[in-house]
Amino acid sequence: LAKTTQPISMDSYEGQEVNITCSHNNIATNDYITWYQQFPSQGPRFIIQGYKTKVTNEVASLFIPADRKSSTLSLPRVSLSDTAVYYCLVGVEYGGATNKLIFGTGTLLAVQP
Amino acid sequence: DTGVSQDPRHKITKRGQNVTFRCDPISEHNRLYWYRQTLGQGPEFLTYFQNEAQLEKSRLLSDRFSAERPKGSFSTLEIQRTEQGDSAMYLCASSLESSGAVPDTQYFGPGTRLTVL
């Protein structure tokens, strides 16, 4: 599985755009890039997933350059409720029927008023 | 609410006791996963079911841990002879098997927080 590297923490203010970059230099050809969000005492929540270029949904955008060795999660106009840990995951380990997610330590985003 | 549910949400037990957790996945999902999360870390995979078949277990899942998914619906995770190191959040997730190369989207429950005294 491709190893991911992301900042341990980030600070922002309400109303700002936040970009969290994840490095995954050894991403495999068929790997997808997935981001999850986790609030304290809750399970992770799927945010967005992509393979290349740009993906946008109602919550976030995901930018993936042509070489796919990194990706950037963009959260527009964050609010206090966006304070959470954000996990970047690359690839899902397929082995037989295995479909497990491999989480790192994530990025703790702290949004201040 | 049609999301993944887990019961109980909190469990306090004494060392050496057995505990059992339940997970009810989203009804149409055929895949179910258990993860364990300790403070400051991301979730760690424990085991995985496709329908009623348990297809993989992590090395974390020692012989004190067992999981079942009878009839391919709800699942239970049992820990026997609990140890203080078992204190963690136990998360359940479910997904609908997708076709092609796009990974399934896993939907997580709220977790069961276990404290072993």
Side-chain angles (χ1 to χ4, degrees):
Chain A
L1 288 179
K3 180 181 177 180
T4 61
T5 302
Q6 53 183 123
I8 294 174
S9 64
M10 293 182 69
D11 292 322
S12 183
Y13 293 94
E14 282 191 294
Q16 289 188 333
E17 178 184 76
V18 171
N19 297 308
I20 306 175
T21 297
C22 179
S23 297
H24 29 80
N25 291 319
N26 59 339
I27 188 170
T29 302
N30 59 347
D31 282 344
Y32 277 71
I33 299 157
T34 310
W35 287 80
Y36 277 80
Q37 174 193 56
Q38 187 176 26
F39 298 113
S41 299
Q42 294 186 25
R45 182 176 75 108
F46 172 88
I47 301 176
I48 197 166
Q49 179 173 272
Y51 183 79
K52 62 180 179 180
T53 62
K54 176 183 175 181
V55 179
T56 297
N57 61 22
E58 64 277 8
V59 176
S61 294
L62 179 59
F63 298 92
I64 306 169
D67 66 7
R68 303 198 331 119
K69 294 184 183 298
S70 67
S71 59
T72 299
L73 174 72
S74 181
L75 304 172
R77 297 180 299 281
V78 294
S79 64
L80 295 176
S81 63
D82 292 315
T83 294
V85 177
Y86 292 83
Y87 296 98
C88 166
L89 295 89
V90 173
V92 175
E93 185 169 310
Y94 289 104
T98 298
N99 194 36
K100 60 190 177 188
L101 298 176
I102 308 296
F103 288 83
T105 52
T107 297
L108 174 59
L109 172 65
V111 180
Q112 301 177 28
Chain B
D1 188 288
T2 58
V4 177
S5 62
Q6 293 186 243
D7 183 70
R9 293 293 309 277
H10 303 273
K11 178 70 176 178
I12 299 174
T13 191
K14 293 182 179 179
R15 188 175 53 189
Q17 297 295 305
N18 300 339
V19 294
T20 300
F21 309 140
R22 177 179 170 122
C23 171
D24 286 273
I26 294 172
S27 59
E28 64 268 26
H29 286 183
N30 61 333
R31 290 177 166 174
L32 187 147
Y33 316 80
W34 285 97
Y35 293 83
R36 183 176 75 179
Q37 185 172 26
T38 54
L39 196 62
Q41 302 297 314
E44 296 174 292
F45 171 82
L46 291 179
T47 191
Y48 157 68
F49 291 85
Q50 177 142 326
N51 300 310
E52 66 274 11
Q54 186 174 18
L55 297 183
E56 184 174 347
K57 297 191 296 183
S58 164
R59 289 190 301 275
L60 290 171
L61 210 61
S62 73
D63 58 3
R64 295 187 299 106
F65 288 72
S66 62
E68 295 182 340
R69 193 184 182 197
K71 304 179 183 178
S73 55
F74 72 92
S75 176
T76 58
L77 177 69
E78 181 181 15
I79 309 174
Q80 296 183 327
R81 306 181 303 282
T82 52
E83 302 172 356
Q84 288 186 325
D86 297 331
S87 295
M89 175 78 86
Y90 290 84
L91 294 160
C92 174
S94 70
S95 71
L96 183 63
E97 181 178 2
S98 63
S99 58
V102 181
D104 302 353
T105 296
Q106 294 188 24
Y107 295 85
F108 284 79
T112 294
R113 181 165 296 283
L114 173 66
T115 301
V116 182
L117 302 176

